[in-house]
Amino acid sequence: MMHLSESREIHPSYINVISRLGKNFVINFPKLYSARHCVQVVHSVLHISDTIHDFGPVHTFTTFQYENELGLLTRITKSTRRHAQELIGYLHLIQEAYCHLNNFNFMNSNFANYLFTRFACHRKSDDSKHCQLGHLRKEDDSVVRLLFPFAHIKYYQTVHVGRIRLCIRTYAEGKVADDSNIIFIFDNVQYRGKIRSIFTIDDGEPHLLVGYIANLTPLTCEIDDTENFVYHNILFATTTKWSYVPIEVNAFVEKSIFFRSSAGISYFFRQPTLDHCS
């Protein structure tokens, strides 16, 4: 229900589905967690559909980003008194930093890099697809070698596409964030996959060797006893057969999330917004 509520576009028919899913959740909640845990927050689920009807998808009025900014201000406030004056001063500094980073006629690169690191402002850039390779890898990939037997191949573990970092699946093991799961275009069709290798051919542009499962099934959830809802942003497959295809970086669309259940079912989640998946 919350994935649907955060969708990039809310079709009018979704509002009714969200409302029915919310009611079904609240009705079954005490059966799962006991009536003792039926607090106000659980009841508020009933009003999500009305809020979406009035204001649109929940990501347009979420307070997470606002709370992140409050966290920044809290961390940089050091004085034991006159907190308001100090916060106002830092807010003015952040505003000046943002204006400075977006004014190419008045740009000190060292100061700009400091401001970007300190306040995470977003500088305007036209090279959103600019690639920067990192972490040279010595191990050869048998699939890449089979596809390009006579080429000079260099392997890498990470690549930055603009400000988005991608990595190979082995590099992501044990990391908090898995940057190897992507959505990409192949033969004009979008696929979900995992990056097996990042490589260059004869010192050319970087390529990705991506593993994917061809036939994925949209998730079907039960609205009530009479109707099901098919949600295409969550796909799954019971097979463990992966296919591999080399793609150019330009075929990369966005990051995704991959999860394998204990039953061996592979799930691919598409993030509700581009801000989340970047």
Side-chain angles (χ1 to χ4, degrees):
M1 185 189 75
M2 293 310 300
H3 268 272
L4 189 60
S5 301
E6 290 184 310
S7 296
R8 303 174 193 188
E9 296 181 359
I10 298 289
H11 191 272
S13 62
Y14 289 179
I15 298 177
N16 180 49
V17 174
I18 293 169
S19 175
R20 294 165 64 186
L21 286 172
K23 291 178 181 177
N24 191 31
F25 171 79
V26 173
I27 291 172
N28 288 283
F29 186 89
K31 301 176 184 178
L32 297 172
Y33 304 103
S34 78
R36 175 174 173 268
H37 294 91
C38 289
V39 295
Q40 178 66 29
V41 175
V42 177
H43 168 78
S44 66
V45 173
L46 295 173
H47 302 286
I48 291 178
S49 59
D50 294 331
T51 306
I52 293 173
H53 179 271
D54 294 336
F55 301 105
V58 295
H59 65 80
T60 61
F61 53 88
T62 177
T63 60
F64 288 143
Q65 185 61 37
Y66 173 72
E67 292 173 359
N68 285 341
E69 300 301 333
L70 289 181
L72 169 64
L73 294 175
T74 302
R75 290 193 300 273
I76 62 179
T77 303
K78 305 298 182 182
S79 65
T80 57
R81 59 193 183 95
R82 296 181 179 177
H83 300 293
Q85 290 88 335
E86 186 176 9
L87 286 175
I88 291 172
Y90 276 120
L91 284 173
H92 286 162
L93 178 59
I94 293 173
Q95 290 173 346
E96 292 293 331
Y98 181 82
C99 294
H100 183 87
L101 287 175
N102 288 276
N103 184 357
F104 288 99
N105 296 323
F106 180 71
M107 175 65 70
N108 181 294
S109 58
N110 293 330
F111 184 50
N113 290 332
Y114 165 77
L115 292 177
F116 178 80
T117 304
R118 189 68 180 84
F119 299 111
C121 296
H122 297 284
R123 186 190 308 175
K124 292 180 180 177
S125 177
D126 296 328
D127 58 345
S128 59
K129 286 293 185 179
H130 174 71
C131 300
Q132 182 177 356
L133 295 162
H135 297 87
L136 190 66
R137 186 165 65 104
K138 296 181 179 180
E139 296 84 359
D140 198 5
D141 189 310
S142 59
V143 177
V144 176
R145 182 55 59 189
L146 181 64
L147 294 171
F148 307 98
F150 304 108
H152 175 63
I153 306 294
K154 287 184 179 179
Y155 298 95
Y156 299 85
Q157 298 190 78
T158 63
V159 59
H160 283 78
V161 184
R163 299 196 183 279
I164 300 175
R165 191 189 78 156
L166 304 176
C167 70
I168 61 176
R169 63 186 185 187
T170 54
Y171 183 82
E173 292 177 356
K175 302 289 195 304
V176 175
D178 188 347
D179 296 325
S180 66
N181 306 309
I182 64 170
I183 298 175
F184 65 98
I185 296 177
F186 178 63
D187 286 342
N188 296 319
V189 178
Q190 287 192 2
Y191 292 93
R192 276 73 168 168
K194 294 181 70 69
I195 301 175
R196 170 169 168 156
S197 288
I198 300 171
F199 61 97
T200 59
I201 304 172
D202 297 328
D203 295 324
E205 293 296 319
H207 288 69
L208 310 175
L209 181 66
V210 184
Y212 68 99
I213 299 176
N215 298 316
L216 295 174
T217 304
L219 179 70
T220 301
C221 60
E222 183 180 282
I223 300 176
D224 50 35
D225 295 335
T226 61
E227 186 178 354
N228 293 330
F229 178 75
V230 179
Y231 187 56
H232 292 273
N233 280 351
I234 301 179
L235 306 177
F236 72 93
T238 56
T239 180
T240 57
K241 183 179 180 181
W242 292 74
S243 302
Y244 294 94
V245 59
I247 63 171
E248 296 180 351
V249 172
N250 289 334
F252 161 71
V253 177
E254 61 187 76
K255 290 184 184 180
S256 65
I257 298 174
F258 172 78
F259 170 74
R260 186 187 297 277
S261 70
S262 57
I265 302 176
S266 299
Y267 292 92
F268 294 87
F269 298 79
R270 185 169 197 165
Q271 295 278 19
T273 70
L274 289 175
D275 288 337
H276 291 153
C277 70
S278 64

